[in-house]
Amino acid sequence: MSLEMGTWSGVRWGQIRTGTERRHELRFSGMKLTIRLPYHTRFGQMIFLCGDHPWFGDARPLHFVEGELWEVMLDLPDTGRPEKPVSYYFLVLDEDGSAREDFGGGRSLNLSALPPGHTIIVDSWTDFGAVENVFSTEPFTHVLLWRPHENANAAPANATHEFHVKAPLLGQGQTICLLGSAPALGGWNTSAPVLLQRDSGNGDFSARVDLSAGPFPVFYKYGVYDVEKNAFVRYEDGANRAAPGGQIIMHDGSARLPSAPWRGAGVAVPVFSLRSERSFGAGEFLDLPLLADWARQAGLKLIQILPVNDTSATHSWRDSYPYAAISVYALHPLYLNLDALAGPEHAPLLASLASERRRLNALPALDYEAVMKAKLEFARTIFTKQRKKTFASPEYHDFFSHNEHWLAPYAAFCYLRDKFDTADFNHWPEHRSFDAKEIRALAKRDTTARHEMDFHAFLQFHLHTQLRAAAGHLHERGLILKGDMAIGVHPHGADVWQQPELFHTDMQAGAPPDAFAAKGQNWGFPTYQWPRMKQDGFAWWKKRLSQMSCYFDAFRIDHILGFFRIWSIPRGAVEGILGYFVPAIPLREEEFAARDIAFDRERFTRPFVTDDVLREIFGDRAEAVKKEFVNAGADGMYSLKPAFAAQRDVERHFASMDAANRDKTLKEGLFDLISNVLLIEAPGGGYHFRLGMEHTPSFRRLDPDTQRRLMDLSVDYFYRRQEDGWRREALEKLPALKRATNMLICGEDLGMVPACVPAVMRDLGLLSLEIQRMPKALNAHFSRPADAPYLSVVTPATHDMSTIRGWWQEDRNVTQDFFNQELGQSGPAPAECEVWINQEIVRQHLDSPAMWSIFQLQDLLGMDEALRNPDPASERINVPAIVHYYWRYRMHLTLEALAAEKPFTELVENMVRQSGR
């Protein structure tokens, strides 16, 4: 993993001092700290120390000592030491100016605890993408691999040496021990080793020992000790380690122990899709414990959900789309449990909603608007009764103090959205631009505003409390909760209102055309001002991750490709087809000439409209289109009238008509006409190829030689010239994000994947997503779970796809091929996905070497003839090709009924156990 100097996150390269400088010493006091790093370098390479405290500076150079040893010495002041441990890591600068850093996950130093004199830290380099780093993340250290603290030797009062080592995959009752040549290390006596203490924070093992008697160096090794059997198990592999004399801290990386790769299985389901006997027409946070109780019995270790942030922009069913949050911090009131909100004191008030609860809960799908109406009305009733008590509680004060930076602007945004009847702050008569002082003044002088803002803060407090309680219940059951970090935000939300400088509001984020959306996807999100975000070290993202870590142990980065490049669509476009990648090196006119292509700006960048093109798109309606929507030009060419020049213009035209007169076919035909271009002009000059230009009527009317030359240039444009730049983009952002959180990170790397993506994700230790019916290998029909990399998640389907059973019925030719090639069956495939087929597909994923196999709940239920939904089409959560889709799928049985299905639970548990997960 490498990138050019000047782009690595967290380092201001202009302040790095290299060359002949041998040491960097701060003359404050007699206390010294030396950090040593064994690292094999080439001539011309330099190593730097980077940390999150000014004493480390932006990047302090180490100097070469001998052999493979580098070191840096710091003089520390007696006063002003940070109370909390500081983190640090190393960075190697290559002779060509490229740089790479080590992971150092969990590596920290308590400067305030250092004793007087000279302390030496002997450290170790850890590759950023090393597999063992995964086991230092939150889900493993606090839930999945958590063990009670084993017995450890008491530290002597005058310890000289401190040893730290990682060993996450020990067996039950096992701990790490230390043996060595010194008497204090047992003199290699395996019946009297030093037992290390497991750190509750990061899962490391440590011990403090008095080795003042020497002789030095002291040779030692780590071993495994069974505290239940009181017996030594084995030494670590490899040569003896050595510790020098003095006041020493040894950071030894990982113990050299063989271990079988850890693997787990999980279930994925949107919270709104859960159905319990006491929920209110939609799944709620407090339904998650019921799911967790079943999942534990089924041998599962993870529950994955979709984004749960507030999306209330229109107060209509369109807000059911969970990826368009009006705040990346606020939770959605849809998931509020009214019983917990009311509490015993106000429980009788719920009696008036009993019939509505039964009605909504009996519906086969979510009625978003009715559920929101009922919940918000009841929440306002409880707010008037509990407001003073809640706001006086220490729990609320703690919540508010930790979240004021986003909670106050969000609450004000909600008030103004409702007051002016629109979330589009550009249309508000006042407060179009966020001003913290004005909002504080508004809350003081306007009692209505204060009341409304308090209400939204009240809601957020209870949602926070309920989700925290649900996550805690999962942990008690040995399960982790995996969230979903959406790639974008609502263009008219609190985040954009509060910090507009972080967003390109004149562009729309989306995805290029693919097999699931032939015209691409336009999500409508503003794109990010990455250079501006980089200026403050990606603070907005780090705060976002900090908020997510309140609830989640792991998370999925939605569309991780957006951190390499984003599909950017001009505001005038409706469909994603008219987008282009940003950043991207645009084409220049001279490049066309260099390939003997006669460049014609008008021909290549404007919709190509002729009589035969109009007939091709509109058929018998071509003449009517000519009269209403285009102007005639010279040489049989036409141009769109100014009122219909952009897709947004066309959309507004048809939206203004009565519903009965709206002609969807005509509108989409005009969209196709507008997108009948070969190139898109870049705002800063140059041109981008329109993706899929070879399928346009415009391209088909070029001569064959020009077609060939344009296609050759487009292959270079899309698949060669951009790769290095996209790699650099990702390496500016993703390492900073990974370093900012201890959650396990998974990336959704689907779609048009740049060639640089797999290596970057592997080098950063980010889990990839592998889907059987979306192979990443060229010319492959399917990927095989058995071939998935270890650091990955395998799944038969995501929320954007049909379920196993739904997919089986979509294309007979595809399922026939799968039946014969992937299932190894002869003869014709069954018309429906029979139970045994569903089970076999699940089993293939469970048997995969991937760290995680995660299944939609629908795909697990499909393994049981009695439990599977009679209508597989109703189980689909989203159809990406439909711009405004109603996200409303709900389980067809309750969680209580699922828990009672013992044979099914045993089936899942047996399959999981037999797979070794």
Side-chain angles (χ1 to χ4, degrees):
M1 173 177 62
S2 64
L3 73 166
E4 292 302 313
M5 177 174 64
T7 62
W8 201 261
S9 59
V11 177
R12 291 194 288 277
W13 287 102
Q15 299 182 21
I16 287 183
R17 286 153 289 205
T18 59
T20 60
E21 181 177 22
R22 299 285 294 175
R23 292 172 184 252
H24 191 291
E25 300 185 13
L26 301 177
R27 299 296 182 183
F28 291 110
S29 72
M31 299 185 64
K32 296 182 181 294
L33 172 65
T34 296
I35 300 179
R36 295 176 178 169
L37 178 69
Y39 187 89
H40 178 74
T41 55
R42 301 187 307 272
F43 179 77
Q45 287 184 319
M46 292 291 293
I47 303 179
F48 295 88
L49 172 70
C50 306
D52 62 357
H53 191 273
W55 289 351
F56 290 138
D58 294 296
R60 297 209 181 279
L62 280 71
H63 74 275
F64 176 72
V65 180
E66 60 181 356
E68 297 185 349
L69 187 62
W70 292 71
E71 72 173 33
V72 61
M73 180 182 291
L74 306 173
D75 282 1
L76 303 179
D78 291 321
T79 60
R81 298 192 188 184
E83 296 181 1
K84 295 182 179 179
V86 297
S87 62
Y88 65 95
Y89 58 96
F90 300 102
L91 182 146
V92 171
L93 181 67
D94 291 335
E95 61 274 24
D96 65 355
S98 61
R100 57 187 177 277
E101 61 176 300
D102 84 320
F103 177 62
R107 186 196 286 132
S108 63
L109 179 61
N110 188 351
L111 292 170
S112 63
L114 290 180
H118 186 194
T119 298
I120 299 174
I121 299 177
V122 181
D123 227 307
S124 59
W125 176 278
T126 303
D127 286 331
F128 217 102
V131 170
E132 57 264 28
N133 296 339
V134 171
F135 302 111
S136 295
T137 57
E138 189 80 15
F140 291 100
T141 60
H142 287 76
V143 183
L144 299 172
L145 297 178
W146 182 86
R147 299 284 188 275
H149 289 194
E150 296 86 356
N151 297 326
N153 295 89
N158 298 311
T160 61
H161 286 63
E162 191 174 305
F163 296 87
H164 296 266
V165 71
K166 299 177 183 293
L169 299 178
L170 296 176
Q172 186 69 36
Q174 293 182 342
T175 191
I176 289 293
C177 63
L178 182 63
L179 303 99
S181 58
L185 298 182
W188 299 111
N189 183 357
T190 57
S191 63
V194 175
L195 302 185
L196 276 68
Q197 176 71 44
R198 189 190 296 265
D199 190 317
S200 61
N202 58 23
D204 289 1
F205 291 85
S206 63
R208 300 177 69 241
V209 185
D210 181 6
L211 297 181
S212 57
F216 296 101
V218 170
F219 297 100
Y220 67 98
K221 292 187 83 169
Y222 294 103
V224 178
Y225 193 85
D226 192 316
V227 295
E228 295 179 354
K229 298 178 180 178
N230 199 29
F232 179 78
V233 178
R234 61 160 291 163
Y235 280 107
E236 67 174 332
D237 297 329
N240 292 340
R241 303 174 188 257
Q247 203 163 266
I248 307 296
I249 300 174
M250 303 294 299
H251 282 292
D252 282 324
S254 298
R256 303 182 293 253
L257 297 170
S259 58
W262 185 98
R263 298 183 306 139
V267 59
V269 61
V271 175
F272 62 76
S273 299
L274 299 175
R275 184 188 297 271
S276 71
E277 294 175 0
R278 289 296 297 168
S279 56
F280 206 109
E284 301 165 350
F285 289 145
L286 293 185
D287 287 329
L288 287 169
L290 292 175
L291 179 61
D293 291 344
W294 171 80
R296 177 180 173 84
Q297 296 299 316
L300 305 177
K301 298 182 176 72
L302 175 149
I303 292 175
Q304 176 176 316
I305 61 177
L306 296 185
V308 289
N309 297 106
D310 190 2
T311 58
S312 304
T314 66
H315 295 309
S316 73
W317 65 265
R318 287 193 174 186
D319 296 341
S320 67
Y321 177 40
Y323 286 89
I326 62 167
S327 169
V328 296
Y329 305 102
L331 300 171
H332 205 306
L334 179 71
Y335 306 117
L336 186 69
N337 179 275
L338 300 186
D339 294 286
L341 176 68
E345 182 181 359
H346 301 295
L349 295 176
L350 277 169
S352 63
L353 295 178
S355 61
E356 181 68 351
R357 183 202 292 262
R358 287 192 296 271
R359 184 186 74 82
L360 291 173
N361 233 17
L363 295 176
L366 167 67
D367 185 336
Y368 179 90
E369 294 175 12
V371 171
M372 286 294 292
K373 180 177 183 294
K375 288 197 173 188
L376 289 176
E377 287 180 354
F378 184 78
R380 288 186 177 277
T381 299
I382 296 299
F383 172 62
T384 60
K385 298 179 180 299
Q386 290 186 346
R387 178 182 185 181
K388 290 183 178 180
K389 180 180 178 181
T390 298
F391 288 175
S393 68
E395 293 83 4
Y396 179 82
H397 280 280
D398 182 65
F399 167 75
F400 188 85
S401 66
H402 282 91
N403 296 280
E404 184 178 5
H405 69 96
W406 67 265
L407 184 59
Y410 162 78
F413 175 87
C414 291
Y415 162 66
L416 295 168
R417 171 202 61 198
D418 296 342
K419 177 182 180 180
F420 300 128
D421 200 29
T422 178
D424 188 348
F425 45 83
N426 297 300
H427 294 159
W428 293 349
E430 53 186 342
H431 304 296
R432 293 182 184 179
S433 298
F434 173 77
D435 186 299
K437 292 182 179 179
E438 289 183 5
I439 295 303
R440 284 195 294 269
L442 174 66
K444 288 182 179 179
R445 71 172 183 265
D446 189 328
T447 56
T448 301
R450 179 57 183 266
H451 183 274
E452 287 300 300
M453 291 165 65
D454 282 352
F455 170 67
H456 293 290
F458 173 85
L459 274 183
Q460 288 303 310
F461 170 67
H462 282 281
L463 287 161
H464 164 82
T465 302
Q466 292 183 15
L467 182 52
R468 288 273 290 180
H473 186 94
L474 263 69
H475 294 168
E476 292 173 1
R477 295 294 185 268
L479 280 87
I480 65 169
L481 185 60
K482 181 181 177 184
D484 195 340
M485 187 174 74
I487 187 62
V489 299
H490 198 288
H492 306 135
D495 300 298
V496 181
W497 180 57
Q498 185 180 2
Q499 293 183 278
E501 71 278 7
L502 301 182
F503 305 91
H504 282 293
T505 55
D506 59 336
M507 299 298 289
Q508 307 167 96
D514 59 23
F516 298 94
K519 295 185 179 182
Q521 300 177 50
N522 183 351
W523 303 323
F525 310 144
T527 58
Y528 294 115
Q529 292 268 21
W530 286 112
R532 169 61 183 82
M533 289 179 160
K534 183 184 175 183
Q535 289 176 6
D536 60 9
F538 306 102
W540 184 81
W541 288 95
K542 291 176 180 178
K543 290 177 182 177
R544 184 177 180 183
L545 290 171
S546 177
Q547 184 72 11
M548 289 185 68
S549 68
C550 292
Y551 318 111
F552 302 112
D553 310 287
F555 69 99
R556 164 190 178 270
I557 299 180
D558 169 48
H559 194 64
I560 197 172
L561 305 183
F563 288 85
F564 293 76
R565 80 292 185 273
I566 194 69
W567 189 250
S568 297
I569 307 160
R571 275 286 160 200
V574 173
E575 298 173 327
I577 193 70
L578 285 173
Y580 52 90
F581 289 120
V582 174
I585 303 171
L587 298 156
R588 301 294 174 181
E589 291 187 21
E590 53 267 27
E591 293 185 67
F592 292 90
R595 292 177 179 256
D596 292 327
I597 301 172
F599 182 79
D600 185 333
R601 178 173 175 272
E602 188 75 17
R603 174 68 178 84
F604 289 174
T605 65
R606 300 290 182 263
F608 184 72
V609 186
T610 61
D611 283 311
D612 62 324
V613 169
L614 291 171
R615 284 192 296 272
E616 178 181 336
I617 295 176
F618 299 101
D620 294 340
R621 306 176 70 178
E623 289 301 319
V625 169
K626 284 167 59 175
K627 291 180 181 178
E628 186 174 1
F629 297 104
V630 302
N631 291 323
D635 301 323
M637 301 295 296
Y638 299 89
S639 63
L640 286 150
K641 291 182 177 180
F644 307 106
Q647 290 184 339
R648 287 285 173 207
D649 299 329
V650 173
E651 184 181 55
R652 282 190 289 268
H653 171 74
F654 282 90
S656 67
M657 298 179 177
D658 293 336
N661 295 323
R662 294 175 191 166
D663 191 325
K664 182 179 179 182
T665 302
L666 179 58
K667 181 180 75 172
E668 292 182 351
L670 290 169
F671 283 176
D672 291 342
L673 195 63
I674 293 168
S675 64
N676 184 31
V677 298
L678 307 180
L679 301 175
I680 299 170
E681 294 190 70
Y687 306 89
H688 300 287
F689 273 113
R690 205 215 83 169
L691 189 60
M693 68 167 179
E694 65 272 21
H695 303 304
T696 64
S698 176
F699 184 85
R700 290 196 296 271
R701 284 158 177 80
L702 294 170
D703 65 87
D705 184 62
T706 301
Q707 288 181 348
R708 178 181 58 80
R709 295 177 187 275
L710 280 173
M711 285 305 299
D712 288 345
L713 183 56
S714 74
V715 169
D716 177 76
Y717 170 84
F718 282 116
Y719 301 104
R720 298 192 187 111
R721 70 193 291 162
Q722 316 295 353
E723 288 291 333
D724 187 59
W726 289 344
R727 179 180 60 85
R728 294 167 187 261
E729 283 289 320
L731 289 175
E732 280 193 346
K733 306 160 190 170
L734 291 173
L737 268 61
K738 181 170 181 179
R739 211 174 269 293
T741 181
N742 200 34
M743 292 182 285
L744 178 66
I745 305 177
C746 309
E748 183 261 293
D749 54 338
L750 305 177
M752 189 175 175
V753 182
C756 61
V757 170
V760 169
M761 291 185 64
R762 182 175 61 251
D763 289 345
L764 295 181
L766 306 177
L767 275 64
S768 64
L769 180 61
E770 310 296 327
I771 299 180
Q772 196 170 25
R773 67 181 101 152
M774 289 187 70
K776 294 174 181 175
L778 291 176
N779 302 318
H781 293 164
F782 307 100
S783 66
R784 291 183 173 169
D787 297 332
Y790 177 62
L791 289 183
S792 70
V793 175
V794 292
T795 183
T798 73
H799 60 274
D800 283 330
M801 305 164 69
S802 51
T803 61
I804 293 173
R805 295 169 61 216
W807 168 72
W808 195 266
Q809 298 176 0
E810 288 174 357
D811 189 321
R812 176 69 182 177
N813 292 328
V814 172
T815 50
Q816 181 65 57
D817 186 23
F818 184 89
F819 185 74
N820 299 140
Q821 301 302 319
E822 303 305 314
L823 296 183
Q825 302 293 318
S826 60
E832 295 184 357
C833 182
E834 297 175 356
V835 164
W836 73 268
I837 295 175
N838 198 315
Q839 290 182 5
E840 180 57 27
I841 293 173
V842 170
R843 186 174 288 107
Q844 287 180 346
H845 287 73
L846 286 171
D847 290 340
S848 168
M851 174 178 281
W852 288 101
S853 56
I854 301 176
F855 306 92
Q856 291 193 94
L857 182 59
Q858 307 95 294
D859 287 333
L860 293 179
L861 293 172
M863 297 194 299
D864 187 288
E865 191 67 55
L867 288 185
R868 50 172 39 192
N869 193 317
D871 178 17
S874 68
E875 295 185 305
R876 181 152 187 174
I877 297 169
N878 177 44
V879 180
I882 298 178
V883 177
H884 298 296
Y885 192 80
Y886 195 167
W887 296 58
R888 58 188 318 201
Y889 162 71
R890 291 192 77 200
M891 297 172 59
H892 65 288
L893 74 165
T894 66
L895 289 164
E896 292 87 351
L898 176 62
E901 293 290 341
K902 300 302 181 185
F904 171 69
T905 305
E906 290 174 0
L907 168 68
V908 177
E909 193 277 333
N910 286 334
M911 292 176 67
V912 172
R913 177 167 38 80
Q914 290 169 9
S915 72
R917 291 191 177 271

